[in-house]
C-alpha cells in the first residue's frame, strides 16, 4: 500500500501535473494539501476518471485538504481538527482506507512571527498533539500525513541563515512536532533515510530549486501498528522540476502486508470509477442488487477504527463502512431494487442442528452485534428491503432471490464475500466478489470454470469434497481443492464419486456436507418491487446518530436523484 502526501499548491492550476503523477506513480492513497479551491470547484470528475475516489474539504483561495484512494472510496471519519469549533480554516481531513486511518493535514505557516499567526500555529499544533495522542492510544493503524510547516532539525534545511526568523524553524515549532513524536509516532522518511536531507520543498524564489536549497516540511508519521508494516519511504523530488510544478514534491511510504490480491486473469472486474456512466435503462432491464449484509458488516467493522461512535457513544464503524459500500454499489449499478440479506444469529438453522461442529467457535465482538439492528434500520431508511427470518442464513436469501429472478427472466447482481455464492452464477446471475480494497470481481459461469475447473451447479459437491474450514466442514480426507475438482470433472457429482467406490466410510458425512453447502432457494423473501431510494430519510437517520459527514454524502445523493 503506497501512501503519498503532496502539497499541490492549487489543485485546479496543477491538475494536469497531478494526473500525470497519478498515472506514473500509481499510489494507492494520496493526501493533498493547499487545494486553494472551494468545495464545488474540486475536480472530482477528472480524478475519478484517473481511477481515484476522493474526500475533501476545500476553501476558496486558501488552504484545503483532500484524500484520494485508488479503486476504492475513503470513508471519512473527521473533516476538522477537534479542539476549536470556531476554527473555519480547512486544514484537516481524516478517512479510513483499506483498514488504515489516514489524515491529510496542512498546518499553519505561522509567519510573521511573533504575532497572531504564529500564536494560531502553535495552538493548532497543540490541538493536533492532543488528537494524535488519542489516536495513538486506540492502537489502530494510522498515518498522519501532510505539510506540517515545520523543519524538524537543522539537518532538514539547506545550509543558510535566511530562515533564522522564519516560523518554520523556531524552537516552539520544532518542540510542537517533537511532542507528537514523543507519543510514539514514527517519522517514516527519517527512519528510512537517517543520513540524507530528503527535502520536500523548494521556494520558487532565488533559484532555490536549481541549487537544491530545500527544506523538509512534508512528513508521514506512523502509529506503532503502521510502523511495523513500513517497507520503504522516499521523496519523488523530480516532480518538483517539471513544468507548472508545485513548490513541494510528493513524499511517500510503502506499507507491506497488503490484503491478499486475488488472481484476475480472464476475470471481469466491475467497471472502475473512471468508467462509470449513467445508466438510462428501463426498470425492467435494471438488475436486482442483493447484498450479503453480514459479510459486508463484518468487513466494515474490521476495516474501520473502533473509535468511530455515534453521538451517544455507541459503536458506529460498521454502520459507516456498510453505508459507504451500499451507496457506492447503488451509484455504480443503478439497480431497480436492493435487497440486503441477514443471518439470524440468535436462532440455529437446520445446518447447525444437523452438524454440531458447523460454524463452531465463531465469536462476534459485542460492538459489532450491537450495530446489526441499526444497519437494518439504515437499509430501510434508504428505501431498500431487508431479508431476515428465523432458521435461514443470509446465503439462503441470495439463492431465493436468484431463483425468483430466473423465473421472472430478470437480471441479478449478488454481492458476497463468500465463495459459496458461486453456485448461483448463471447467465442471468453474476456474483460481485471483493478481491481487494474497492475492487470487485464479476463472477459468472465462465469465471467459476476458470477459477476451479467446475460448473457453478457443482460448487456444493466441490465444497463437500474439499471442505470449508470457515464453516468447520472437514471434507473428504486427502482431497483438497485440485483433487475435488478433478473428481467432479470425472464423475460429475458427489453421488458419482461415491458410486465409483471412493469414500465409502465417509459417504453419509459427505452427503450431509453437500446439503449444508447448498443454499436454500425456498427462503421467504419480501416483495421485490422496483424501489426509489429515499436518501434524504437515511441522511436524517445518520444525522440523528451524529454521523454528520455520512449525512452530507447522503444529502448529495438525494440531490442527484
Amino acid at each position: 500500500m503506497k501512501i503519498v502526501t503532496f502539497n499541490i499548491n492549487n489543485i485546479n492550476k496543477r491538475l494536469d501535473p497531478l494526473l500525470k503523477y497519478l498515472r506514473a506513480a500509481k499510489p494507492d492513497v494520496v493526501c493533498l494539501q493547499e487545494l486553494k479551491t472551494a468545495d464545488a470547484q474540486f475536480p472530482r470528475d477528472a480524478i475519478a476518471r484517473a481511477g481515484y475516489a476522493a474526500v475533501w474539504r476545500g476553501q476558496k483561495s486558501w488552504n484545503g485538504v483532500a484524500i484520494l484512494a485508488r479503486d476504492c472510496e475513503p470513508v471519512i471519519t473527521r473533516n476538522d481538527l477537534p479542539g476549536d469549533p470556531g476554527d473555519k480554516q480547512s486544514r484537516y481531513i481524516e478517512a479510513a482506507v483499506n483498514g488504515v486511518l489516514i489524515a491529510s493535514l496542512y498546518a499553519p505557516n505561522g509567519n510573521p512571527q511573533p504575532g497572531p499567526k504564529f500564536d494560531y500555529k502553535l495552538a493548532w499544533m497543540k490541538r493536533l498533539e492532543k488528537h494524535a495522542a488519542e489516536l495513538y492510544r486506540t492502537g489502530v493503524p494510522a498515518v498522519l500525513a501532510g505539510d506540517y510547516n515545520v523543519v524538524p532539525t537543522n539537518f532538514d534545511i539547506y545550509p543558510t541563515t535566511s530562515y533564522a526568523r522564519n516560523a518554520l524553524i523556531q524552537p516552539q515549532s520544532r518542540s510542537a512536532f517533537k511532542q507528537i513524536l514523543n507519543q510514539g509516532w514514527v517519522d517514516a522518511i527519517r527512519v528510512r533515510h537517517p543520513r540524507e536531507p530528503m527535502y520536500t520543498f523548494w521556494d520558487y524564489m532565488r533559484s532555490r530549486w536549481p541549487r537544491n536549497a530545500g527544506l523538509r516540511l512534508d512528513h508521514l508519521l506512523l502509529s506503532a501498528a503502521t510502523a511495523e508494516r513500513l517497507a520503504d519511504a522516499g521523496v519523488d523530488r523530480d516532480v518538483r522540476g517539471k513544468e507548472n510544478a508545485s513548490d513541494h514534491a510528493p513524499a511517500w511510504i510503502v506499507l507491506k502486508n497488503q490484503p491478499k490480491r486475488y488472481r484476475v486473469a480472464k476475470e471481469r472486474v466491475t467497471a472502475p470509477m473512471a468508467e462509470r456512466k449513467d445508466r438510462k435503462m428501463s426498470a425492467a432491464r435494471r438488475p436486482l442488487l442483493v447484498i450479503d449484509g453480514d459479510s459486508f458488516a463484518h468487513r466494515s467493522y474490521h476495516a474501520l477504527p473502533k473509535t468511530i461512535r455515534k453521538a451517544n457513544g455507541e459503536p458506529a464503524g460498521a454502520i459507516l463502512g456498510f453505508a459507504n459500500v451500499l451507496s457506492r454499489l447503488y451509484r455504480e449499478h443503478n439497480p431497480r431494487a436492493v435487497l440486503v440479506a441477514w443471518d439470524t444469529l440468535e436462532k440455529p438453522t437446520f445446518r447447525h442442528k444437523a452438524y454440531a461442529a458447523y460454524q463452531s467457535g465463531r465469536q462476534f465482538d459485542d460492538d459489532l452485534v450491537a450495530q446489526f439492528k441499526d444497519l437494518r434500520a439504515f437499509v430501510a431508511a434508504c428505501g431498500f428491503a431487508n431479508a431476515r427470518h428465523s432458521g435461514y442464513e443470509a446465503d439462503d436469501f441470495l439463492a431465493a432471490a436468484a431463483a425468483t429472478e430466473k423465473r421472472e427472466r430478470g437480471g441479478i447482481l449478488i454481492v458476497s464475500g463468500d465463495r459459496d455464492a458461486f453456485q448461483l452464477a448463471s447467465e442471468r446471475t453474476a456474483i460481485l466478489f471483493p478481491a481487494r480494497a474497492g475492487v470487485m470481481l464479476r463472477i459468472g459461469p465462465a469465471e467459476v470454470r476458470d477459477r476451479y475447473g467446475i460448473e457453478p451447479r457443482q460448487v456444493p459437491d466441490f465444497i463437500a469434497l474439499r471442505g470449508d474450514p470457515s464453516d468447520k466442514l472437514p471434507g473428504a480426507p486427502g482431497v483438497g481443492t485440485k483433487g475435488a475438482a478433478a473428481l467432479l470433472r470425472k464423475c460429475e457429482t458427489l453421488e458419482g464419486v461415491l458410486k465409483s467406490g471412493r469414500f465409502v466410510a465417509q459417504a453419509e458425512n459427505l452427503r450431509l456436507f453437500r446439503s449444508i453447502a447448498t443454499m436454500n432457494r425456498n427462503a421467504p423473501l419480501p416483495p421485490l418491487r422496483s424501489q426509489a431510494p429515499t436518501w434524504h430519510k437515511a441522511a436524517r437517520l445518520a444525522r440523528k446518530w451524529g454521523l454528520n459527514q455520512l449525512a452530507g454524502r447522503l444529502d448529495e445523493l438525494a440531490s442527484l436523484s
Side-chain angles (χ1 to χ4, degrees):
M1 184 179 187
K2 184 176 183 179
I3 302 172
V4 168
T5 183
F6 189 11
N7 182 320
I8 194 64
N9 191 10
N10 194 321
I11 190 168
N12 286 310
K13 182 178 179 180
R14 296 187 171 83
L15 181 58
D16 285 344
L18 173 62
L19 296 176
K20 289 178 182 177
Y21 177 72
L22 296 178
R23 288 194 294 270
K26 294 182 173 58
D28 298 290
V29 182
V30 182
C31 299
L32 297 175
Q33 303 85 40
E34 268 202 284
L35 304 179
K36 294 184 177 179
T37 184
D39 281 339
Q41 277 70 55
F42 183 85
R44 173 175 57 184
D45 291 345
I47 287 171
R49 286 192 294 272
Y52 289 79
V55 293
W56 65 92
R57 185 183 174 204
Q59 188 171 349
K60 185 179 180 180
S61 303
W62 305 100
N63 306 321
V65 284
I67 298 174
L68 318 183
R70 184 160 62 102
D71 292 336
C72 68
E73 294 195 30
V75 179
I76 192 167
T77 54
R78 294 202 67 89
N79 66 359
D80 58 8
L81 185 65
D84 183 0
D87 185 0
K88 303 303 180 185
Q89 296 194 34
S90 299
R91 295 186 174 275
Y92 188 92
I93 193 167
E94 181 183 288
V97 182
N98 197 19
V100 180
L101 191 66
I102 300 173
S104 178
L105 63 93
Y106 177 48
N109 177 280
N111 285 305
Q113 71 83 31
K117 291 186 177 181
F118 191 59
D119 294 341
Y120 171 66
K121 176 189 183 78
L122 297 181
W124 195 93
M125 292 294 289
K126 192 69 178 177
R127 288 159 55 200
L128 178 62
E129 177 192 342
K130 182 178 179 181
H131 183 55
E134 293 173 355
L135 286 179
Y136 195 88
R137 281 194 296 269
T138 66
V140 302
V143 179
L144 301 178
D147 179 358
Y148 282 72
N149 267 314
V150 174
V151 177
T153 70
N154 288 340
F155 186 56
D156 298 300
I157 184 172
Y158 72 103
T160 182
T161 59
S162 61
Y163 279 85
R165 299 287 300 170
N166 198 291
L168 306 178
I169 70 167
Q170 294 309 302
Q172 302 97 312
S173 302
R174 289 177 167 177
S175 176
F177 185 79
K178 192 171 187 300
Q179 289 301 315
I180 298 173
L181 294 181
N182 288 343
Q183 297 170 2
W185 294 89
V186 172
D187 182 349
I189 296 289
R190 186 51 66 221
V191 165
R192 294 293 297 181
H193 302 278
R195 296 180 179 84
E196 300 174 60
M198 303 301 293
Y199 303 143
T200 64
F201 168 82
W202 297 259
D203 197 289
Y204 292 125
M205 306 295 289
R206 300 173 186 171
S207 300
R208 282 177 174 150
W209 166 250
R211 58 193 179 92
N212 198 28
L215 292 72
R216 190 168 75 98
L217 300 179
D218 305 270
H219 313 296
L220 297 109
L221 304 190
L222 314 184
S223 67
T226 316
E228 292 176 355
R229 297 173 52 186
L230 181 63
D232 202 1
V235 177
D236 290 330
R237 68 184 309 277
D238 62 307
V239 174
R240 172 62 178 83
K242 296 185 182 299
E243 184 180 356
N244 191 28
S246 168
D247 45 7
H248 291 252
W252 53 267
I253 59 172
V254 174
L255 302 180
K256 58 186 177 182
N257 299 328
Q258 296 186 75
K260 180 179 178 182
R261 293 177 179 262
Y262 293 92
R263 179 168 58 95
V264 298
K266 299 183 182 179
E267 292 173 329
R268 292 173 291 163
V269 178
T270 57
M273 289 169 289
E275 299 174 6
R276 290 178 197 159
K277 297 179 180 179
D278 291 335
R279 295 161 173 84
K280 301 295 185 180
M281 63 184 76
S282 68
R285 292 183 59 203
R286 288 158 58 196
L288 172 68
L289 181 68
V290 183
I291 302 171
D292 183 338
D294 287 80
S295 174
F296 285 90
H298 281 267
R299 285 175 175 269
S300 299
Y301 175 76
H302 292 292
L304 297 183
K306 307 305 180 285
T307 53
I308 299 172
R309 299 271 159 175
K310 294 194 291 187
N312 63 4
E314 294 176 352
I319 298 170
L320 187 61
F322 183 86
N324 191 61
V325 170
L326 178 61
S327 60
R328 177 169 62 86
L329 287 168
Y330 191 90
R331 291 198 310 275
E332 288 182 349
H333 300 289
N334 191 28
R336 66 167 182 82
V338 177
L339 175 70
V340 183
W342 303 96
D343 291 338
T344 306
L345 299 178
E346 60 272 18
K347 295 287 187 180
T349 67
F350 83 90
R351 299 174 176 92
H352 299 89
K353 296 174 181 177
Y355 186 62
Y358 178 66
Q359 295 183 343
S360 60
R362 287 190 178 183
Q363 292 184 341
F364 303 140
D365 291 357
D366 290 342
D367 277 3
L368 171 58
V369 175
Q371 295 178 70
F372 279 118
K373 185 176 181 180
D374 287 337
L375 283 164
R376 294 191 295 272
F378 179 80
V379 170
C382 291
F384 305 144
N386 288 295
R388 182 172 180 263
H389 198 279
S390 178
Y392 296 92
E393 296 182 24
D395 284 353
D396 297 327
F397 300 110
L398 309 184
T404 299
E405 288 299 294
K406 183 178 180 180
R407 287 194 299 270
E408 298 180 5
R409 303 184 64 78
I412 182 169
L413 295 173
I414 292 177
V415 190
S416 176
D418 189 344
R419 293 176 183 82
D420 292 7
F422 291 0
Q423 65 189 267
L424 304 177
S426 71
E427 294 306 314
R428 292 187 176 274
T429 301
I431 317 301
L432 301 183
F433 182 77
R436 59 185 186 272
V439 175
M440 292 191 182
L441 301 179
R442 189 181 183 102
I443 306 294
E447 287 72 32
V448 176
R449 288 191 289 269
D450 182 65
R451 182 181 284 250
Y452 294 124
I454 60 173
E455 298 294 328
R457 59 181 169 74
Q458 295 175 298
V459 168
D461 305 71
F462 176 76
I463 293 171
L465 289 164
R466 182 205 60 186
D468 187 342
S470 66
D471 285 340
K472 298 297 175 66
L473 302 180
V479 173
T481 300
K482 292 182 179 179
L487 286 169
L488 291 174
R489 285 195 294 271
K490 180 179 179 181
C491 301
E492 288 288 329
T493 65
L494 173 62
E495 287 301 321
V497 172
L498 297 177
K499 286 179 182 178
S500 73
R502 299 290 299 272
F503 314 118
V504 175
Q506 293 83 27
E508 183 178 352
N509 275 344
L510 292 176
R511 290 188 177 104
L512 174 61
F513 300 157
R514 186 193 189 285
S515 68
I516 287 173
T518 303
M519 297 177 175
N520 186 351
R521 298 170 186 257
N522 296 314
L525 293 174
L528 299 177
R529 294 183 291 268
S530 296
Q531 301 161 343
T534 51
W535 301 120
H536 59 289
K537 291 183 180 178
R540 285 201 298 269
L541 182 59
R543 203 164 273 114
K544 176 183 175 182
W545 288 333
L547 303 177
N548 295 324
Q549 285 83 19
L550 171 60
R553 294 198 299 276
L554 294 168
D555 281 333
E556 183 181 356
L557 278 174
S559 69
L560 297 174
S561 299

